[in-house]
Amino acid sequence: MRAPRLALFASAVALLTAAGAHAQTPYEASGQTAPTAAPAPGAADFTDEELRKYDVAITRVRAVSDTLNGAQPTPEQQAEMAAAVQESGLEVVRFNAISNAAAESPVINARINAMKAPKPAPGSVAAGVSDAELRQFVEAMTKIRAVTANVQNGQATPEQSAQLTAAVEGSGLAVDRFNAVATAVSQDAGLRARAELIGARQQEAGAQ
C-alpha cells in the first residue's frame, strides 16, 4: 500500500484542537463570589438547550467584559451583563456553572460549536461521512499528530512514513478514505465541528 500523503496529514493536524476561551462571568467581573450549592457539574450535565442559551448570553457578556481591561465594571456594566444572562433564560448561578465548566472542559465549547455549525450540503462528501468514520479519523489523527510533531522540514523519514501509514490502517480506514475524510473536514465547517467534538470527548476521557 502506498504511503499516506504527509502534506495532507500536516494540514489536517490543526483541525482537532478545540478552542476554549473563558470570559469573565457577571460574578467574576464584579469581584463577587458566585453562590455554590453542589459539586461542580461536568460537560454532560448540561442540556443542549442550556448551552444554546449560554452561548447567546456569553456573546453579550464578552462584549462588555472585553472592554474592561481588568478594571472593575461600573454598576451599569454589571447590570448589562446580568441582563444578558437573565434575558437568555438562564439563572445566573446556572450560567456561572456552565462558564466555569467550560473553562475546564473543551467539550462544552465543542458541543456549542457543533450545534451552531451548518449541516453539510446534501450529496456532498462531508454529508456521507458517518459518525463511525469520523471517530476513526479522529483516532488516527491523534496518532498522526504525535508523529508529525517530530517531522523536520515537512519531510518524513521512512520510519515516520511507516508510522503514519500504520496510524491510518490501525483506525480501520483505508488510506484513500482517510484522505477523503480529511479533505472534507478541512473544507466543511459542520464536519469539522463534529470532529472537534469527538476529539474533545476523547481527550477528556483519556485524561480521566
Side-chain angles (χ1 to χ4, degrees), residues 17-23 42-44 46 51-52 54-55 58-59 62 98-117 192-194 196-198 200-201 204:
T17 302
H22 175 52
F46 305 110
L51 294 186
R52 288 189 183 92
Y54 170 79
D55 185 54
I58 196 65
T59 300
R62 283 195 182 110
I98 297 174
S99 185
N100 290 334
E104 300 294 332
S105 172
V107 172
I108 291 179
N109 291 292
R111 280 179 62 189
I112 292 172
N113 290 337
M115 287 189 293
K116 293 168 58 177
R192 185 162 58 252
R194 285 170 55 200
E196 289 171 348
L197 176 55
I198 290 171
R201 282 173 168 160
E204 186 168 88

Side-chain angles (χ1 to χ4, degrees), residues 43-191:
D45 296 319
F46 305 110
T47 67
D48 287 351
E49 183 61 23
E50 285 181 315
L51 294 186
R52 288 189 183 92
K53 292 177 179 178
Y54 170 79
D55 185 54
V56 171
I58 196 65
T59 300
R60 291 181 56 189
V61 170
R62 283 195 182 110
V64 178
S65 65
D66 287 348
T67 67
L68 300 178
N69 295 320
Q72 291 295 315
T74 65
E76 292 78 11
Q77 290 170 323
Q78 293 184 44
E80 186 176 352
M81 288 189 287
V85 176
Q86 292 168 356
E87 291 170 9
S88 74
L90 283 176
E91 296 291 335
V92 172
V93 171
R94 191 62 170 171
F95 172 89
N96 282 333
I98 297 174
S99 185
N100 290 334
E104 300 294 332
S105 172
V107 172
I108 291 179
N109 291 292
R111 280 179 62 189
I112 292 172
N113 290 337
M115 287 189 293
K116 293 168 58 177
K119 300 295 183 184
S124 65
V125 175
V129 177
S130 68
D131 288 343
E133 286 181 319
L134 201 53
R135 282 192 295 271
Q136 290 172 314
F137 169 76
V138 172
E139 290 170 359
M141 282 302 304
T142 300
K143 297 176 182 178
I144 288 166
R145 268 200 305 270
V147 178
T148 56
N150 297 314
V151 171
Q152 300 295 321
N153 300 319
Q155 296 294 321
T157 65
E159 180 181 359
Q160 289 169 331
S161 294
Q163 291 173 337
L164 293 173
T165 301
V168 177
E169 292 176 341
S171 73
L173 288 173
V175 173
D176 286 344
R177 184 56 179 169
F178 174 89
N179 283 331
V181 174
T183 299
V185 168
S186 69
Q187 296 175 348
D188 187 273
L191 189 63

